[in-house]
Amino acid sequence: MTNVIVAFPKPEDAKSIRNILVKNGFPVVAVCTSGAQTLQYADDLHNGVVVCGYRLTDMIYSQLREDLSEQFDMLLLASRRFTSEVDDKRIRCVAMPLKVHELLASVDAAVEESELRKKKARQQPKQRNVFDKQQIMLAKDLLMKQKGMTEEEAHRYLQKSSMANGVNMIETAQMVLSILGKNV
């Protein structure tokens, strides 16, 4: 589930919002009164939703948004005058006076969007570092020289072996290097 941070300058306002969210099943992990506190929690969590007011004790919402990771969504609770000025697509707005169903629907939408972003990130292939790429290339080179394979065949061999052995391709390449490397 997506983490929710509530940030308002008045602790009693923040706690009221937290209580509404918790009562409706949202996991509120922190209640903050300053942008610095919010950013500290956000850095520890890496992703989630920040529900905040227009002004915190040390900054306004736009400064907080600039410093927040792209992995965080922001839900701004403010008067219509302020919400009408927001032109940042990364910020959802709920106009005050607060209607609980609007708050819950907006938080739910932000949570869903965050979950979708996490799911997409997990589905992206992991980027290999230079050393890992070198290991794979060396293993393919050895297979091509010693087994007479093409590069495509060597790559497919590494893929099949890694799946059959239940290890990642880098580990398979290292095994090939250690076994075939002795025969050189």
Side-chain angles (χ1 to χ4, degrees), residues 139-149 154 157 176 180:
K140 285 197 279 189
D141 285 344
L142 268 176
L143 288 168
M144 290 175 355
K145 288 177 186 166
Q146 291 189 9
K147 303 291 182 184
M149 297 179 176
Y157 175 83
V176 166
L180 294 181

Side-chain angles (χ1 to χ4, degrees), residues 125-145 149-162 167-178 180:
K126 292 182 180 173
Q127 296 296 317
R128 293 191 173 109
N129 63 35
V130 175
F131 178 75
D132 292 344
K133 288 178 184 177
Q134 286 177 331
Q135 295 281 295
I136 292 169
M137 285 306 299
L138 288 171
K140 285 197 279 189
D141 285 344
L142 268 176
L143 288 168
M144 290 175 355
K145 288 177 186 166
M149 297 179 176
T150 65
E151 184 177 0
E152 217 173 276
E153 291 169 333
H155 187 80
R156 185 75 183 128
Y157 175 83
L158 290 174
Q159 283 180 325
K160 277 186 168 184
S161 298
S162 70
V167 296
N168 65 37
M169 202 156 146
I170 293 134
E171 290 177 54
T172 303
Q174 290 168 344
M175 284 190 273
V176 166
L177 289 171
S178 67
L180 294 181

Side-chain angles (χ1 to χ4, degrees), residues 11 44 62 71 81 92 108 115 119:
D44 292 342
S62 58
Q71 301 305 311
R81 181 178 67 145
R92 295 174 185 274
D108 193 43
E115 292 291 328
K119 185 177 179 183

Side-chain angles (χ1 to χ4, degrees), residues 14-30:
K15 288 176 184 173
S16 295
I17 298 295
R18 179 202 58 201
N19 292 342
I20 291 169
L21 295 175
V22 168
K23 193 164 121 181
N24 287 280
F26 294 102
V28 176
V29 295

Side-chain angles (χ1 to χ4, degrees), residues 65-88:
R65 176 66 261 181
E66 286 301 313
D67 293 339
L68 270 176
S69 157
E70 290 297 318
Q71 301 305 311
F72 271 87
D73 289 305
M74 179 180 275
L75 179 62
L76 173 65
L77 306 181
S79 69
R80 288 201 191 285
R81 181 178 67 145
F82 293 125
T83 59
S84 64
E85 295 173 3
V86 176
D87 60 350
D88 190 334

Side-chain angles (χ1 to χ4, degrees), residues 44-75:
D44 292 342
L45 297 172
H46 306 296
N47 60 45
V49 177
V50 173
V51 179
C52 68
Y54 179 83
R55 182 178 309 277
L56 299 170
T57 57
D58 57 350
M59 64 179 72
I60 62 171
Y61 77 95
S62 58
Q63 293 167 316
L64 178 60
R65 176 66 261 181
E66 286 301 313
D67 293 339
L68 270 176
S69 157
E70 290 297 318
Q71 301 305 311
F72 271 87
D73 289 305
M74 179 180 275
L75 179 62

